[in-house]
Amino acid sequence: ILENSHPHPLFLTRELKELQQHFNKIEVKQQSGKTQVDPKSGITKVGGTASYIFDNATIESIRTKAGDIRKKIVLCQITST
């Protein structure tokens, strides 16, 4: 969305792409499950679970990067390049 906005916020898209690299270190394991339809309400319940595997260093790197981005925005330390 940001890449298509005008004017293009280069600073923010660059920073968020760097943050995404930290999130990409989290491993996601999904298990499919049974999908059921409740006959009374007609609501479909999709079964399955997801597990997220990460270490403290990964969470700390996400926290640090997100804090850095926030600080730059709040302190108006935004650059156009």
Side-chain angles (χ1 to χ4, degrees), residues 35-75:
T35 300
Q36 300 174 323
V37 178
D38 184 310
K40 290 184 179 181
S41 66
I43 295 175
T44 301
K45 297 179 182 179
V46 179
T49 60
S51 299
Y52 302 91
I53 302 165
F54 53 87
D55 58 14
N56 288 338
T58 299
I59 296 303
E60 182 61 25
S61 71
I62 291 169
R63 188 193 69 74
T64 300
K65 183 62 180 173
D68 290 345
I69 294 169
R70 181 186 180 282
K71 187 184 304 181
K72 288 176 183 178
I73 292 170
V74 170
L75 297 176

